Amino acid sequence: MLEVSGQQLAQWYDWARQTAIAANISLGELDWFVQEVTGLDRLSLKLETFKTRPRIPLTDFGQPPLERLTDLWQRRLQARVPVQYLVGVTAWRNFRLKVSPAVLIPRPETECLIEIALKAVQESPIKELNRGHWVDLGTGSGAIALGLAEALPDAILHAVDCSAEALAIASENALNLGFAPRIQFYQGSWWTPLEAVKGQLSGMVSNPPYIPSDEIPHLQSEVVQHEPLVALDGGKDGLECIRYLIETAPVYLRPGGIWLIEMMVGQAESVLNELHQSKQYENIQIFPDLAEINRFVLAYRSFS
């Protein structure tokens, strides 16, 4: 285990704060980065009580620790690499998830999907929905599947992704968090691996690609240069994947089953229209994200 003194780390931290401000990078990102590589808690970093410590262990970087720390932070500053990819983990709900450029970094607002799903189960007249089959389509890091597994302890979870690299990370996260026995992972496109559960699903939850293709080049460098485009590109109008899920889900959902997705700001009206026009859903609802922006759509598979 490599170590630095509190004074050495304090000098590096002061330099990194100045560079973050100059590069318009949140100081919160820097603090989280330092906490991850040092094990310091937020309070000791904020109060700078770590300065008096003679030794602070750092992640084994394989080279002089402060030099490696600087190399990593320079990648954040210059190449705009997301800090989560630098340390290989991110916080989501109460989980610590492994991430890499093979998976989209789970956003805080996506956590709302789990609470909405749980509320939908509780309000459904079908009492056994919490014990049925649930699927996370486009699972990426496995975040949604893991959140559902925690919130619905009696459910049977299925998670699908087209990327073998993403599934490897999702499987490792499930193993690390103790949910591996309850989640089956499949490589494939959307519903393709799920023929065995046609008509049986209690719920489908997805954070599909929803950004219009021509808007992607204008996204933040952190996103467009480093996150997987396959998880972002929703086609010409951003609704190609969502439209597909509206059209195909009724074959897989049981009557009364839950259809729940995340969408882009400004897409709510179009998604509502698509759901109504399909005549396969009822009790359609829109939910806001943490910023009170309409971000999620919930519907129930029609009984007729």
Side-chain angles (χ1 to χ4, degrees), residues 224-238:
V224 71
Q225 294 180 12
H226 300 286
E227 298 202 64
L229 294 183
V230 68
L232 301 169
D233 193 339
K236 185 176 181 180
D237 63 356

Side-chain angles (χ1 to χ4, degrees), residues 35-66:
Q35 289 172 60
E36 285 295 325
V37 299
T38 64
L40 293 173
D41 60 50
R42 182 182 302 176
L43 189 60
S44 61
L45 194 61
K46 182 177 181 179
L47 299 180
E48 299 187 339
T49 55
F50 67 90
K51 286 183 176 181
T52 60
R53 291 174 56 174
R55 292 183 300 276
I56 297 175
L58 288 97
T59 303
D60 190 354
F61 291 139
Q63 68 184 87
L66 289 181

